[in-house]
Amino acid sequence: NKVWDKTVDVIVVGSGAGALTAALRSHDLGMRVLVVEKSDVYGGTSAISGGGIWIPDNHQISQLGGEDSEEKSISYLKNIIGHDPGDGRIEAFVGNAKKMLKYLENNTRVRYESQPAYADYYPEVEGGLPGYRSMDPLPFDARELGDEFEKLRPTTKATLMLGRMSMDMKQARVMLTRSPGFLPTTLKVMWRYWSDLPWRFKSSRDRLLMLGNALVGALRASMMDRNIPLWLSSPMKNLITENDTVIGIEVEKDGKTLRLKAQKGVILATGGFEQNQAMREQYLPQPSHTSWSGTPAGQNTGDGITAGMALGAEVAYMEHAWWAPSTLPPGEVQSQILFVERALPGSMMVNSAGKRFCNEAAPYNDIGYDMYRADQEEGVTAAPCWFVFDARFRNRYPCGPLLPGYAAPDSRLPDHLKKDDYYFRENTLEALAEKIGVDKEGLLNTVREYNANAQKGIDPEFNKGKSLFDRYYGDPTSPSSPCNAPLEKGPFYAIKVNAGDIGTKGGLRTDVHARVLDRQGQAIPGLYATGNTSASPMVQTYPGAGATLGPAMTFGYLAANHIKNDM
Ligand code: FAD
């Protein structure tokens, strides 16, 4: 009978969106909750994400004139996975995601808006939709957080205009792709930021939170409404069991090890293992490095997964990640994900043979698989590969940390992004190939063949721009087509692209209630997992924007429901 330092009903480990949803739901079902977070800020990757959630058959779809059903969504998911995983989690997700959202909207400060034009990632597959299922958080006023705003993980510069001003997804897209309305949108964002005078004197951080900061900010403020405690700088070290039941955790806090009792359950939401180099080497395809990930450096080191494994939990899909090609600017420890640039015209990705190997505008998750597949070819390197573009592209569009040339010409780029440290520029393709060590003939042939078709706006080799999804991030004003244009105007540019990720995907195997299963398929009493700590129900695929947070929040909600019903 060892002494407990604190006793509650539910302990939630981690403070991403799945964790905080689980905490709110547990509280609202009448349970005492404690959230413990390893970092000195809360929100995890969820806070720096787009905050989008993929909610099939959500209640806003019909209001917006769209149509969806559970059957359609389930069939889409099984079609893109390629089989029925058979564990019922697809059905559990589709049936409950919309309930989770309704619960949040009816009871908390979280608000979402369905995006009718944001296509599923495979809209042409049976059951896919041209929009609606991806939902974005509404902006959230940081004043609602009071002093807790200081402890919200700040969003990354990449999602802010000029590194300061918040943009929502629609504004970001208009600006990045130079879609119609580009100038008024830019001015509107700048005006809103600079005219917010009282706040400007207080902080350079934008008061209007968008994307993942809006989501986590709204969740945290809703926790404050309920006085749900959140301990920062309190990493979980171990799970505590009694008679094979999880009854608590050990955390480190203020230099001490504390024993925390969870009378009803522990929900692990410590993210994946993308920041753990040893685990990356053990499980993921190689080469692979923590710094290629777009997630916060040093945080998600697989702690929940290893703690579960130590109790005999089964893991699945450990070789998968939510892949996303990334670029690592000099001096940075965290990569920037190339979400948009690949779809813009006048660019291509090539391997060391100077050849294209994929549809560059495809969903980012596919590009990761493509890079590793192409890297298998004898004598060829595709992980990393090169993103090559011409002067017209450079002038019009951003690329990683490079602002478009019209806003930041080469001569005015910050020192750490100077030519040859980060990006390469040469007057001819031959010279560029030599500089980056790519086969010269290969690159010249590739560009020649691609250009001949791109002039007509087509890409017979990889069908770039054919899917509705490809065109979402294309430039609708491009004369040839939104995604394809010849690379013909020198100088020519290249940046190195790594096989990055936005989190790993494998983890503890869970059931329809988010219970962690052991190697015999039996639930480990008292132990639940959600988000990237659990093996994703999506297996290897990525159905649409928001397909990591949507399930993380849904299974967090379901974990709380099950703990309550099990009481
Ligand atoms: P996290 O949100 O990372 O939370 C895990 C938390 O656990 C962290 O705060 C961590 O510090 C903490 N922790 C770790 N170990 C311990 C421990 N031992 N004890 C206590 N706490 C611990 N997905 C979408 O669905 N939609 C999007 O729009 C989207 N946009 C993205 C944009 C970017 C740039 C990136 C990088 C990712 C994006 N993603 C998006 C992916 C998504 O953000 C992640 O998959 C998701 O946040 C993972 O949630 P999680 O709860 O598993 O982990």
Side-chain angles (χ1 to χ4, degrees):
N1 276 341
K2 293 202 196 118
V3 179
W4 295 99
D5 293 291
K6 188 171 175 72
T7 300
V8 291
D9 294 321
V10 180
I11 296 175
V12 181
V13 191
S15 65
L20 303 191
T21 304
L24 287 165
R25 181 66 176 171
S26 299
H27 173 277
D28 288 358
L29 291 174
M31 300 183 283
R32 283 171 306 153
V33 195
L34 170 66
V35 180
V36 297
E37 162 59 48
K38 167 173 164 176
S39 167
D40 58 359
V41 286
Y42 59 88
T45 313
S46 307
I48 64 157
S49 75
I53 55 175
W54 193 78
I55 307 292
D57 198 31
N58 68 69
H59 62 278
Q60 292 180 22
I61 297 182
S62 57
Q63 293 161 12
L64 292 165
E67 235 181 84
D68 197 5
S69 67
E70 287 190 22
E71 295 68 36
K72 199 171 183 166
S73 308
I74 291 169
S75 115
Y76 172 61
L77 287 170
K78 291 184 179 169
N79 284 335
I80 58 172
I81 292 171
H83 63 275
D84 179 354
D87 58 9
R89 287 193 302 154
I90 291 292
E91 289 82 354
F93 166 63
V94 171
N96 290 289
K98 55 190 171 186
K99 293 186 191 157
M100 176 280 295
L101 180 64
K102 273 215 151 156
Y103 155 71
L104 285 179
E105 292 205 324
N106 291 340
N107 297 282
T108 75
R109 299 180 189 231
V110 174
R111 296 290 177 275
Y112 266 89
E113 190 179 62
S114 156
Q115 301 302 318
Y118 205 165
D120 285 345
Y121 286 176
Y122 309 93
E124 291 82 14
V125 170
E126 197 238 300
L129 287 191
Y132 302 108
R133 288 170 176 157
S134 290
M135 306 182 82
D136 287 342
L138 296 187
F140 188 75
D141 190 335
R143 286 181 303 196
E144 294 185 44
L145 283 164
D147 292 344
E148 275 295 285
F149 175 47
E150 301 287 307
K151 296 177 198 142
L152 168 63
R153 182 177 285 285
T155 181
T156 57
K157 281 195 174 154
T159 54
L160 297 170
M161 188 170 129
L162 300 176
R164 286 180 170 213
M165 303 162 208
S166 303
M167 305 173 281
D168 66 25
M169 273 304 196
K170 280 181 285 190
Q171 292 169 329
R173 178 189 174 216
V174 167
M175 286 190 256
L176 295 171
T177 60
R178 295 197 67 168
S179 297
F182 154 75
L183 202 60
T185 305
T186 310
L187 294 175
K188 190 174 157 196
V189 169
M190 291 178 90
W191 170 252
R192 189 194 44 68
Y193 178 84
W194 287 113
S195 62
D196 190 11
L197 279 181
W199 191 267
R200 272 306 60 81
F201 287 121
K202 206 171 142 184
S203 166
S204 62
R205 240 173 122 181
D206 202 329
R207 179 169 63 84
L208 206 61
L209 306 180
M210 308 258 191
L211 314 177
N213 255 226
L215 166 60
V216 173
L219 287 166
R220 178 68 187 119
S222 308
M223 284 170 67
M224 289 158 64
D225 294 337
R226 294 158 169 82
N227 284 323
I228 301 176
L230 164 62
W231 289 6
L232 296 176
S233 306
S234 304
M236 174 193 75
K237 290 294 168 186
N238 286 303
L239 290 163
I240 303 174
T241 56
E242 188 178 80
N243 302 328
D244 297 329
T245 297
V246 174
I247 56 162
I249 66 169
E250 267 180 14
V251 298
E252 240 170 53
K253 191 172 179 349
D254 303 328
K256 293 196 197 98
T257 302
L258 303 183
R259 287 166 52 84
L260 310 178
K261 181 157 189 182
Q263 287 180 317
K264 309 295 174 205
V266 170
I267 304 175
L268 298 174
T270 58
F273 61 86
E274 66 275 1
Q275 292 295 332
N276 183 324
Q277 185 62 27
M279 285 180 86
R280 285 187 88 100
E281 283 167 23
Q282 184 178 355
Y283 295 109
L284 296 181
Q286 298 303 308
S288 161
H289 198 268
T290 50
S291 66
W292 300 349
S293 179
T295 71
Q299 294 305 311
N300 294 348
T301 46
D303 301 1
I305 299 174
T306 9
M309 286 168 87
L311 296 190
E314 196 186 9
V315 289
Y317 314 141
M318 295 293 276
E319 67 280 29
H320 297 283
W322 303 99
W323 299 115
S326 68
T327 173
L328 185 61
E332 305 269 331
V333 284
Q334 185 183 332
S335 279
Q336 192 167 329
I337 304 299
L338 300 172
F339 284 119
V340 176
E341 12 314 67
R342 297 168 288 108
L344 290 164
S347 66
M348 60 170 60
M349 280 164 63
V350 295
N351 61 19
S352 61
K355 286 199 175 142
R356 291 176 70 214
F357 55 90
C358 65
N359 165 11
E360 294 89 343
Y364 34 93
N365 188 51
D366 287 0
I367 304 285
Y369 290 109
D370 288 334
M371 287 176 76
Y372 281 118
R373 193 176 319 109
D375 199 57
Q376 300 296 311
E377 207 185 308
E378 199 57 42
V380 174
T381 306
C385 65
W386 293 93
F387 186 66
V388 176
F389 47 101
D390 74 352
R392 185 181 168 277
F393 181 107
R394 167 78 187 96
N395 189 48
R396 282 180 76 78
Y397 311 120
C399 178
L402 304 180
L403 289 175
Y406 69 80
D410 293 337
S411 58
R412 295 224 325 261
L413 285 171
D415 275 351
H416 74 288
L417 296 179
K418 282 281 184 260
K419 177 172 161 324
D420 286 5
D421 279 347
Y422 175 64
Y423 73 99
F424 298 86
R425 182 191 67 193
E426 294 295 334
N427 287 334
T428 62
L429 282 167
E430 288 91 329
L432 185 71
E434 201 153 299
K435 195 83 187 215
I436 60 178
V438 155
D439 185 84
K440 209 187 298 176
E441 281 310 302
L443 183 64
L444 287 176
N445 286 337
T446 302
V447 172
R448 196 177 312 118
E449 278 168 34
Y450 174 76
N451 282 358
N453 291 305
Q455 242 136 24
K456 298 178 238 155
I458 53 168
D459 171 30
E461 198 178 4
F462 293 106
N463 290 321
K464 174 158 68 159
K466 193 164 179 209
S467 166
L468 180 64
F469 170 72
D470 296 1
R471 297 194 294 278
Y472 184 76
Y473 283 124
D475 176 355
T477 66
S478 158
S480 45
S481 82
C483 302
N484 291 297
L487 287 72
E488 52 193 8
K489 191 171 179 314
F492 296 92
Y493 295 79
I495 64 165
K496 191 193 270 185
V497 178
N498 291 313
D501 62 79
I502 54 171
T504 49
K505 209 177 210 185
L508 304 175
R509 198 185 269 288
T510 51
D511 70 2
V512 296
H513 304 295
R515 292 184 296 182
V516 174
L517 303 176
D518 67 16
R519 291 186 204 107
Q520 285 72 47
Q522 297 300 311
I524 299 176
L527 190 61
Y528 297 76
T530 192
N532 296 341
T533 306
S534 58
S536 171
M538 303 303 167
V539 193
Q540 87 296 359
T541 196
Y542 205 131
T548 87
L549 290 172
M553 292 162 72
T554 303
F555 284 102
Y557 166 85
L558 287 174
N561 288 354
H562 188 267
I563 296 175
K564 173 68 186 176
N565 293 335
D566 224 30
M567 272 168 81

